[in-house]
Amino acid sequence: MTQDATPGSTQRRIRIGIDTGGTFTDVVAFDEDSGELVTTKTPSTPGNPADGFIAGIEKILDIVGATGSDISAVSHGTTVATNKLLEGKVEALGFITTEGYEFMLEIARQSVPDGYGNSYFWVKPDRIVPADRVRTVGGRLDFTGTEIRPFDEDAAVAAARWFRDQGITTIGVCFLHAYANDDHELRMREILRREHPDAVVSISSEVLREYREYERAMTTLVDAAVKPNVSRYVTNISERLLNFTGNEIPFYVMKSNGGVLSADEVVHQPITTVLSGPAAGALGAALIAKVAGFPKILTCDGGGTSTDVSVVLDGEPTLTTEGTVGAYPSKIPMIDVVTVGAGGGSIAWLSPEGTLKVGPHSAGADPGPLCYGKGGTQPTITDAHVTLGRIPPHLLGGEIPLDVDAARTGIADLAEQLGLDFETCATGILEISAWNQANALRQVSVKRGLDVRDFMLTTFGGSGSLLACRLVDILDLAGVVVPPNPGNVSAFGLLTVDVKNDYVQTHVAKESALDHAAVQAVLDDLTDRAREALEKEGFPAAEHRFQRTIDVRYVGQAFEVRVAAPEGVVDEAYVAQVAETFHADHRQLYGYDFRGDSDQQVEWVNLRVTGIGPITRPEIKRAPSAPTESGRSGLVQPRSRLRQEELVPQHAVRGRRPVCFDAGQGYVDTPVIWRPDLGAGDSFSGPAIVEEFGSTIPVHPGFEVVVDDWANLVIRKESAR
């Protein structure tokens, strides 16, 4: 190992990525000098996540033989904002808007989930702010930002005092057309600070300078709703980290857009963290798959509570500004992730109609599944896996023993209620879970016009690979890529991301009527704001990078396509290049475009600039080659004539156990392979169980596995060879 950080010794530089999930806290340490990567996991502490955070750092430092003074930076992925919104636990929240628009939230949008065929049954969810907690203020701007009616100071003071008297301390402010002129909102905030100093306030012109009043108001209110929780959490973590290390070190929090931001700044932009954890996983998986030669992948991040899926094209996760978290639209740039309640702790239950259901309710980490022996009362997906032999009777390499008998009793009771035998019930639980995950994968692929047969599935997270083979069957995928240490891919992803800030300004104009100088001025202003933020984060000017994107549509369309825009001066050639990119992207998304049709004009809507401060990424190293005895590629006999045990690398086999892959086929005597003993070039066929410290991969009969040069398990159907 490397040298301890003792007095007189050389100071090491250890960068740590730590992802706090519902069940486990995943930790990865990167030695910036040696390039060494080390991973571990520790149980999460839902009561106080900071305890699990510090325990994870202590554990990883002990493994690498370092101390707190050796830490050069910490990057963190958190679900604090996500969980608050998913659970719908939004405390008393106030809303101040323009006079005459007090029912903006009630009117919302006319869209109905799952199409208009569902409109008879669908009930509009409760508003994030009830109508009786909305106050209006006189004053009016037009879409250019020109003042039509002056700001009503008296009404603003009355609104601030009303919220103070009601004890409502979290307030969102969204005035009409404030994206074009923030003067009225800034004056409202000053009045709130004077009249109601205890209030936590978010204003739309700082959260989202973009038109569409409803989405801007909702994004602002979501920002305000999560601000107290995120602020308390980040402050607590920062203080604990300072006490642990004895000195201030850079502490970054993952953002939904695929970048990180310092903890000091993220408390002012909490809305940007709503997909913090899932974003890190998608980025980590994208980098791993790109290095391995798979540019088109679907990602499947399975945790204890939920499974997050996304799509990666040419090594980059797709972004969206039309995302939602729970029932709340959040119109900020975020990696396009779909979440389904199908994690290891998802509960199997009986519906009132007497049918078997799985999720979205979860046993979480506490009390957890029945097999945890911590007071759980209902069977879960994990219980089904352990009773069928698909996972071992322990977690984390033996650190956490599992009570298989308790899990068996719970599933047996459920099977009796359903009138099924035990194996049919247990495999049924897993089958429902697999279809839930498959439906989420369809949402990010098939529903976006992508052919899933062209995609590999990259599975990670503690439970992400358990149903991989079934997902290949259901979706007819090209195969599966399982990275090394899949349970820690999200934490690894935190070490691969740059500091990133997004800035947007609405500027609606037809292409033919664009004022090039005005557009250039807006882009320059956004770039200056991004540059200032990067300087505040400590990046020298020579390292600053800026990306431009523009939201474009055909005149008359309701929504835009976000397209990449080049650097350089805005002129006729620049505008033509943006239009050409838009036509191509529109055809890719929708199957047609109006290139060359003079009757269909192009319209610019939003201008965006992203400021990027690059960091040093860990290098994914090649795996050592397999021992010569396992190199079966040179075997003369056809694979069909070899016994199954001859197709398994014997140097990696740690034992055998009966495993049920199919209720109709019963239990199969299955080799258990210890993954760290596999080398590049190893190959074998199912049935097999591949185990490692943080996860397990069941390889079903009819599938074959090859270990590639980067230690990934590449799983494909034998029939596709």
PDB file of all heavy atoms in Angstrom, residues 22 79-89 274 325:
ATOM      1  N   GLY A  22     -30.609   5.089  -0.255  1.00  0.00           N
ATOM      2  CA  GLY A  22     -31.580   4.769   0.785  1.00  0.00           C
ATOM      3  C   GLY A  22     -31.130   3.636   1.687  1.00  0.00           C
ATOM      4  O   GLY A  22     -31.496   3.578   2.854  1.00  0.00           O
ATOM      5  N   THR A  79     -29.786  12.523  -2.103  1.00  0.00           N
ATOM      6  CA  THR A  79     -31.199  12.407  -2.502  1.00  0.00           C
ATOM      7  C   THR A  79     -32.110  13.213  -1.576  1.00  0.00           C
ATOM      8  O   THR A  79     -33.313  12.974  -1.537  1.00  0.00           O
ATOM      9  CB  THR A  79     -31.634  10.927  -2.493  1.00  0.00           C
ATOM     10  OG1 THR A  79     -31.392  10.385  -1.179  1.00  0.00           O
ATOM     11  CG2 THR A  79     -30.870  10.124  -3.511  1.00  0.00           C
ATOM     12  N   VAL A  80     -31.545  14.178  -0.834  1.00  0.00           N
ATOM     13  CA  VAL A  80     -32.354  14.957   0.113  1.00  0.00           C
ATOM     14  C   VAL A  80     -33.493  15.675  -0.618  1.00  0.00           C
ATOM     15  O   VAL A  80     -34.667  15.577  -0.235  1.00  0.00           O
ATOM     16  CB  VAL A  80     -31.478  15.972   0.882  1.00  0.00           C
ATOM     17  CG1 VAL A  80     -32.341  16.952   1.663  1.00  0.00           C
ATOM     18  CG2 VAL A  80     -30.549  15.241   1.843  1.00  0.00           C
ATOM     19  N   ALA A  81     -33.159  16.416  -1.682  1.00  0.00           N
ATOM     20  CA  ALA A  81     -34.192  17.149  -2.421  1.00  0.00           C
ATOM     21  C   ALA A  81     -35.131  16.185  -3.133  1.00  0.00           C
ATOM     22  O   ALA A  81     -36.355  16.370  -3.129  1.00  0.00           O
ATOM     23  CB  ALA A  81     -33.535  18.094  -3.422  1.00  0.00           C
ATOM     24  N   THR A  82     -34.579  15.136  -3.732  1.00  0.00           N
ATOM     25  CA  THR A  82     -35.399  14.168  -4.474  1.00  0.00           C
ATOM     26  C   THR A  82     -36.431  13.520  -3.564  1.00  0.00           C
ATOM     27  O   THR A  82     -37.624  13.446  -3.900  1.00  0.00           O
ATOM     28  CB  THR A  82     -34.499  13.074  -5.085  1.00  0.00           C
ATOM     29  OG1 THR A  82     -33.349  13.684  -5.649  1.00  0.00           O
ATOM     30  CG2 THR A  82     -35.232  12.293  -6.139  1.00  0.00           C
ATOM     31  N   ASN A  83     -35.977  13.015  -2.424  1.00  0.00           N
ATOM     32  CA  ASN A  83     -36.881  12.303  -1.522  1.00  0.00           C
ATOM     33  C   ASN A  83     -37.983  13.212  -1.000  1.00  0.00           C
ATOM     34  O   ASN A  83     -39.134  12.796  -0.853  1.00  0.00           O
ATOM     35  CB  ASN A  83     -36.098  11.699  -0.357  1.00  0.00           C
ATOM     36  CG  ASN A  83     -35.197  10.558  -0.795  1.00  0.00           C
ATOM     37  OD1 ASN A  83     -35.363  10.025  -1.877  1.00  0.00           O
ATOM     38  ND2 ASN A  83     -34.240  10.203   0.035  1.00  0.00           N
ATOM     39  N   LYS A  84     -37.642  14.462  -0.708  1.00  0.00           N
ATOM     40  CA  LYS A  84     -38.657  15.391  -0.199  1.00  0.00           C
ATOM     41  C   LYS A  84     -39.779  15.584  -1.212  1.00  0.00           C
ATOM     42  O   LYS A  84     -40.961  15.600  -0.861  1.00  0.00           O
ATOM     43  CB  LYS A  84     -38.016  16.743   0.142  1.00  0.00           C
ATOM     44  CG  LYS A  84     -38.989  17.725   0.797  1.00  0.00           C
ATOM     45  CD  LYS A  84     -38.284  18.982   1.215  1.00  0.00           C
ATOM     46  CE  LYS A  84     -39.252  19.945   1.899  1.00  0.00           C
ATOM     47  NZ  LYS A  84     -39.746  19.439   3.185  1.00  0.00           N
ATOM     48  N   LEU A  85     -39.402  15.671  -2.483  1.00  0.00           N
ATOM     49  CA  LEU A  85     -40.403  15.881  -3.523  1.00  0.00           C
ATOM     50  C   LEU A  85     -41.160  14.603  -3.844  1.00  0.00           C
ATOM     51  O   LEU A  85     -42.376  14.620  -4.057  1.00  0.00           O
ATOM     52  CB  LEU A  85     -39.734  16.432  -4.776  1.00  0.00           C
ATOM     53  CG  LEU A  85     -39.062  17.804  -4.607  1.00  0.00           C
ATOM     54  CD1 LEU A  85     -38.318  18.187  -5.871  1.00  0.00           C
ATOM     55  CD2 LEU A  85     -40.080  18.871  -4.242  1.00  0.00           C
ATOM     56  N   LEU A  86     -40.453  13.462  -3.893  1.00  0.00           N
ATOM     57  CA  LEU A  86     -41.118  12.191  -4.186  1.00  0.00           C
ATOM     58  C   LEU A  86     -42.128  11.836  -3.104  1.00  0.00           C
ATOM     59  O   LEU A  86     -43.191  11.280  -3.383  1.00  0.00           O
ATOM     60  CB  LEU A  86     -40.085  11.076  -4.333  1.00  0.00           C
ATOM     61  CG  LEU A  86     -39.212  11.118  -5.594  1.00  0.00           C
ATOM     62  CD1 LEU A  86     -38.173  10.007  -5.552  1.00  0.00           C
ATOM     63  CD2 LEU A  86     -40.056  10.999  -6.852  1.00  0.00           C
ATOM     64  N   GLU A  87     -41.775  12.144  -1.856  1.00  0.00           N
ATOM     65  CA  GLU A  87     -42.678  11.835  -0.751  1.00  0.00           C
ATOM     66  C   GLU A  87     -43.796  12.862  -0.623  1.00  0.00           C
ATOM     67  O   GLU A  87     -44.761  12.659   0.120  1.00  0.00           O
ATOM     68  CB  GLU A  87     -41.885  11.771   0.557  1.00  0.00           C
ATOM     69  CG  GLU A  87     -40.894  10.604   0.614  1.00  0.00           C
ATOM     70  CD  GLU A  87     -39.901  10.748   1.755  1.00  0.00           C
ATOM     71  OE1 GLU A  87     -40.067  11.692   2.555  1.00  0.00           O
ATOM     72  OE2 GLU A  87     -38.973   9.932   1.837  1.00  0.00           O
ATOM     73  N   GLY A  88     -43.685  13.977  -1.345  1.00  0.00           N
ATOM     74  CA  GLY A  88     -44.720  15.011  -1.297  1.00  0.00           C
ATOM     75  C   GLY A  88     -44.823  15.716   0.039  1.00  0.00           C
ATOM     76  O   GLY A  88     -45.854  16.318   0.360  1.00  0.00           O
ATOM     77  N   LYS A  89     -43.748  15.678   0.825  1.00  0.00           N
ATOM     78  CA  LYS A  89     -43.782  16.273   2.165  1.00  0.00           C
ATOM     79  C   LYS A  89     -43.312  17.727   2.126  1.00  0.00           C
ATOM     80  O   LYS A  89     -42.264  18.089   2.653  1.00  0.00           O
ATOM     81  CB  LYS A  89     -42.917  15.454   3.126  1.00  0.00           C
ATOM     82  CG  LYS A  89     -43.416  14.028   3.341  1.00  0.00           C
ATOM     83  CD  LYS A  89     -42.492  13.254   4.266  1.00  0.00           C
ATOM     84  CE  LYS A  89     -42.999  11.831   4.477  1.00  0.00           C
ATOM     85  NZ  LYS A  89     -42.075  11.025   5.323  1.00  0.00           N
ATOM     86  N   VAL A 274     -31.924  18.113  -7.601  1.00  0.00           N
ATOM     87  CA  VAL A 274     -33.056  17.201  -7.437  1.00  0.00           C
ATOM     88  C   VAL A 274     -32.795  15.808  -8.003  1.00  0.00           C
ATOM     89  O   VAL A 274     -33.453  14.851  -7.610  1.00  0.00           O
ATOM     90  CB  VAL A 274     -34.359  17.770  -8.042  1.00  0.00           C
ATOM     91  CG1 VAL A 274     -34.838  18.975  -7.263  1.00  0.00           C
ATOM     92  CG2 VAL A 274     -34.176  18.127  -9.513  1.00  0.00           C
ATOM     93  N   VAL A 325     -40.054  15.865 -11.031  1.00  0.00           N
ATOM     94  CA  VAL A 325     -39.664  15.076  -9.868  1.00  0.00           C
ATOM     95  C   VAL A 325     -40.937  14.856  -9.058  1.00  0.00           C
ATOM     96  O   VAL A 325     -41.517  15.800  -8.524  1.00  0.00           O
ATOM     97  CB  VAL A 325     -38.600  15.786  -9.011  1.00  0.00           C
ATOM     98  CG1 VAL A 325     -38.198  14.900  -7.843  1.00  0.00           C
ATOM     99  CG2 VAL A 325     -37.380  16.123  -9.850  1.00  0.00           C
TER     100      VAL A 325
END
